[in-house]
């Protein structure tokens, strides 16, 4: 279907100014947030799940997973932050496949709006909700004994890093959502692979306790870089005995991973969006 | 002036063996302020045609202008002049009716205030005011349809595309929607409406284009089409097979056409020359002749009759082998 690639979608001269792109994007973001707050799933996802995770790990696993020489709750929080940022895959994939399924994407495309705003609006709304979740988790963290020890600058950098990771992951979600086209499938396809990936990292236990091969995987796992990077910026205890480059330079590694994931998945998502829309 | 004009529109989905020519050389024009009914069975290519005319799909061939703008080279100008209500209500279920309309209004580039004012008007007009602040997922099928249609009218579009606006609705909601559409027509809008029901095209459209397997197979006014098919018929089912010949004689008497007899179902059909008057006469005559009947009625021609007449097969049937050989693929999925 080479012919569908040009003509209206790409070849068209869209007389859409930057102000319109911004305003359309905000309207789509508004409707995503407004609508999702009415869905019990999202309410649980945004307000119950983060609190539950913090409490569960701090009080249930916290005692059972002794990490030598480290305050486990301090150690743990960055892992939970990163895991939750990775969950940004879910709202993006479910949201987009739902819009597709219900024909809303077609409707948007028949309106004189900026086409990029459908995805851009998704990005904005998902980043907003991830920020809210992050703040809720941080407050819970402080309550259970987590703290920031490096000052305001690195703390803000850490928050920025978390959002950057959410940003990268929501492109992965967009690709999944636009590929499966069925919200139910998108929900599980978006998350099912994430758990093993998160557990195969330094998020909850130090990789040093793992068998050699698994340890290597864990050290090069992007999640590990993110977690180690967050621990460094927040000044949380972390015991890095590994020589692997990402573990020695966690913040740089984390930035590179975010960039890589975005560079691969964002164009793919945009392509999927155009292809799906021209069907 | 033509509000819509298309010539040689082509669209093929897939490639090679599995290629489906969804729209094959479709040309049509719709004069400003008139209603065109695009009539065809499931899979005929109605939605694909509408999608090309509304800039959602790039044609493989041909060209089209809507409200004076080329759909391929000036899509944004086309979008700013049209309203589209697709085959399936495309509304945000988590937003309320009011929020949905406000959003569509904003995306039509109305100011927030304009969008609010226009939403209020439309909610009122479409009898949705009461439910306006409930999430749309609580709406009935008819309400969703109306909200969807309202969403396409935020800017008083010059050209309105309605893809099977009443499919799946109960008769009452269908009538309601017809009224809404008629109102638009009297307001001077140009409308392209697709439907599977001859009756609907008859009720709403000035002109009808019949499409099958992506090709236009007939066009004209509803009356012209019905005249082709032979207009209304009287249908009688007699109780006793022995009475068939008497009944045939009676039916034949008041009609210019041939009376067809199905002995198996004891059903007789004859073109009704004088409409309901003829029917009354037939009932009287049958009664006088003491023919007992199970069922009698005046039947209007349906899409099936048009199809049977135009193509020699029923609308839902698989295409003839010869049609497949020409590369016209089956539309029923
Ligand atoms: N995106 C698509 N991909 C492949 N085939 C399609 C697609 N859209 C429509 N078709 C096929 O094109 C034909 C016409 O479909 P459509 O325009 O939806 O018909 P209608 O609206 O009259 O029911 C059908 O055979 C349908 O299966
Ligand atoms: Mg259709």
């Amino acid at each position: 279907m080479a012919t569908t690639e040009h003509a209206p979608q790409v070849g068209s001269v869209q007389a859409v100014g930057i102000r319109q792109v911004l305003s359309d994007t905000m309207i789509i973001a508004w409707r995503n947030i407004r609508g999702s707050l009415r869905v019990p799933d999202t309410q649980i996802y945004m307000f119950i799940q983060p609190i539950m995770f913090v409490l569960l790990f701090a009080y249930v696993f916290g005692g059972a997973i002794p990490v030598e020489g480290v305050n486990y709750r301090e150690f743990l929080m960055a892992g939970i932050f990163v895991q939750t940022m990775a969950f940004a895959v879910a709202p993006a994939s479910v949201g987009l496949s739902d819009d597709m399924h219900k024909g809303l994407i077609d409707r948007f495309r028949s309106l004189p709006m900026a086409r990029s705003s459908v995805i851009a609006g998704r990005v904005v709304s998902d980043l907003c909700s991830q920020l809210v979740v992050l703040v809720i988790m941080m407050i819970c963290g402080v309550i259970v004994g987590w703290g920031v020890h490096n000052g305001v600058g690195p703390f803000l950098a850490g928050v920025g890093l978390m959002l950057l990771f959410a940003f990268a992951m929501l492109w992965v979600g967009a690709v999944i959502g636009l590929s499966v086209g069925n919200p139910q499938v998108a929900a599980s396809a978006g998350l099912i692979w994430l758990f093993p990936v998160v557990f195969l990292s330094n998020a909850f236990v130090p990789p040093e306790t793992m068998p050699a091969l698994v340890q290597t995987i864990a050290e090069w796992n992007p999640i590990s870089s993110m977690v180690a990077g967050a621990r460094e910026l927040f000044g949380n205890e972390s015991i890095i005995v590994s020589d692997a480059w990402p573990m020695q330079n966690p913040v740089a590694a984390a930035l590179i991973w975010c960039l890589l994931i975005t560079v691969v998945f964002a164009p793919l998502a945009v392509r999927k969006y155009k292809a799906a829309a021209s069907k | 002036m033509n509000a819509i004009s298309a010539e040689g529109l082509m669209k093929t989905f897939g490639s090679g063996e599995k290629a489906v020519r969804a729209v094959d050389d479709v040309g049509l024009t719709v004069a400003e302020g008139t209603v065109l009914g695009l009539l065809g069975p499931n899979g005929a290519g109605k939605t694909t045609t509408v999608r090309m005319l509304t800039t959602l799909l790039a044609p493989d061939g041909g060209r089209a202008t809507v409200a004076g703008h080329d759909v391929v080279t000036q899509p944004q100008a086309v979008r700013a002049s049209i309203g589209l209500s697709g085959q399936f209500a495309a509304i945000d279920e988590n937003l309320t009716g009011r929020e949905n309309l406000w959003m569509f209004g904003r995306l039509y580039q109305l100011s927030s205030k304009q969008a609010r004012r226009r939403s209020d008007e439309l909610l009122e007009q479409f009898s949705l005011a009461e439910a306006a602040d409930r999430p749309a997922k609580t709406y009935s099928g008819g309400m969703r349809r109306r909200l969807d249609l309202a969403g396409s009218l935020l800017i008083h579009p010059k050209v309105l595309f309605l893809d099977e606006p009443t499919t799946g609705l109960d008769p009452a909601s269908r009538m309601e929607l017809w009224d809404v559409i008629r109102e638009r027509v009297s307001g001077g809008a140009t409308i392209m409406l697709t439907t599977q029901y001859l009756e609907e095209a008859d009720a709403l459209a000035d002109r009808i284009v019949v499409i099958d397997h992506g090709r236009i197979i007939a066009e004209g006014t509803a009356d012209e089409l019905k005249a082709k098919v032979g207009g209304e018929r009287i249908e009688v089912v007699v109780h006793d097979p022995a009475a068939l010949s008497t009944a045939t004689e009676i039916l034949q008497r008041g009609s210019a056409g041939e009376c067809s007899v199905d002995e198996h179902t004891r059903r007789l059909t004859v073109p009704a020359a004088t409409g309901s008057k003829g029917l009354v006469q037939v009932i009287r005559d049958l009664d006088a002749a003491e023919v007992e009947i199970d069922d009698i009625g005046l039947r209007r021609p349906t899409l099936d009759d048009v199809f049977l007449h135009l193509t020699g097969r029923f609308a839902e049937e698989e295409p003839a082998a010869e049609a497949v050989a020409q590369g016209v693929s089956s539309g029923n999925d």
Side-chain angles (χ1 to χ4, degrees), chain A residues 25 28-33 36 119-131 170:
Chain A
T25 299
I28 297 291
W30 167 83
R31 79 112 195 171
N32 289 344
I33 293 171
S36 71
I119 289 195
R122 189 82 247 166
V123 170
V124 171
S125 61
D126 286 357
L127 281 183
C128 288
S129 58
Q130 289 302 97
L131 180 62
L170 66 87

Side-chain angles (χ1 to χ4, degrees), chain B residues 23-289:
Chain B
V23 171
D24 190 1
D25 195 20
V26 164
L28 47 84
T29 55
V30 187
E32 233 167 68
T34 67
V35 182
L36 177 79
L38 189 60
L39 177 69
N42 213 353
K46 302 184 295 295
T47 298
T48 308
T49 305
V50 168
R51 283 168 59 82
M52 288 193 283
L53 292 174
T54 53
T55 77
L56 296 179
L57 198 61
D60 292 342
R63 29 174 290 121
T65 60
V66 172
H69 310 290
D70 189 292
V71 295
V72 174
T73 59
Q74 303 166 295
Q76 209 67 354
V78 171
R79 287 173 206 140
S81 340
I82 61 168
L84 165 66
S85 175
Q87 186 168 357
F88 304 99
I91 50 179
D92 190 328
E93 307 217 309
N94 296 324
L95 297 187
T96 66
R98 193 186 303 281
E99 288 167 345
N100 264 290
L101 293 184
W102 181 83
M103 168 178 72
F104 290 134
R106 293 289 284 134
L107 295 175
Y108 265 118
Q109 311 306 319
L110 300 181
S111 73
S112 182
K113 212 166 133 198
Q114 285 173 315
R116 205 166 317 130
R117 181 161 356 109
R118 191 72 189 118
S119 307
D120 289 345
E121 280 170 25
L122 287 164
L123 288 165
E124 199 61 51
Q125 208 177 334
F126 284 68
S127 324
L128 289 168
E130 231 165 87
D133 296 309
R134 276 192 352 229
K137 67 175 139 218
T138 64
Y139 287 16
S140 69
M143 290 163 79
R144 276 165 203 248
R145 259 288 166 202
R146 294 207 300 275
L147 180 61
D148 187 83
L149 188 56
S152 62
L153 297 173
L154 281 145
I155 54 156
H156 299 289
K158 287 197 192 113
V159 185
L160 191 56
F161 291 88
L162 306 175
D163 194 4
E164 300 199 24
T166 67
T167 299
L169 291 189
D170 56 83
S173 313
R174 169 170 301 168
M175 291 304 150
E176 254 173 38
L177 215 67
W178 281 10
D179 285 342
V180 169
I181 295 169
R182 284 201 186 101
E183 237 166 82
R184 289 293 128 192
V185 178
S186 61
T190 305
I191 299 181
M192 176 157 168
L193 162 112
T194 83
T195 179
Q196 299 193 34
Y197 311 110
L198 181 59
E199 187 197 353
E200 182 159 286
D202 187 12
L204 300 172
D206 299 307
R207 261 177 358 104
I208 299 174
V209 166
V210 185
I211 180 173
D212 184 33
H213 294 115
R215 287 186 152 272
I216 292 178
I217 55 173
E219 58 183 302
T221 64
D223 286 339
E224 284 167 3
L225 281 181
K226 281 194 287 191
K228 257 191 204 170
V229 206
E232 295 173 331
R233 281 156 231 238
I234 296 173
E235 230 179 57
V236 183
V237 178
V238 298
H239 185 73
D240 183 1
L244 274 173
S245 60
T246 323
T248 309
E249 209 174 291
I250 291 169
L251 283 178
Q252 201 77 71
R253 209 182 294 153
S255 169
E258 195 68 15
C259 177
S260 69
V261 184
D262 183 340
E263 303 205 350
H264 185 63
T265 57
R266 307 183 309 281
R267 186 186 299 271
L268 302 142
T269 313
V270 73
T274 50
S276 47
K277 256 191 233 150
L279 179 64
V280 172
Q281 189 59 51
V282 166
I283 293 173
R284 281 207 191 107
D285 291 352
L286 288 171
D287 193 42

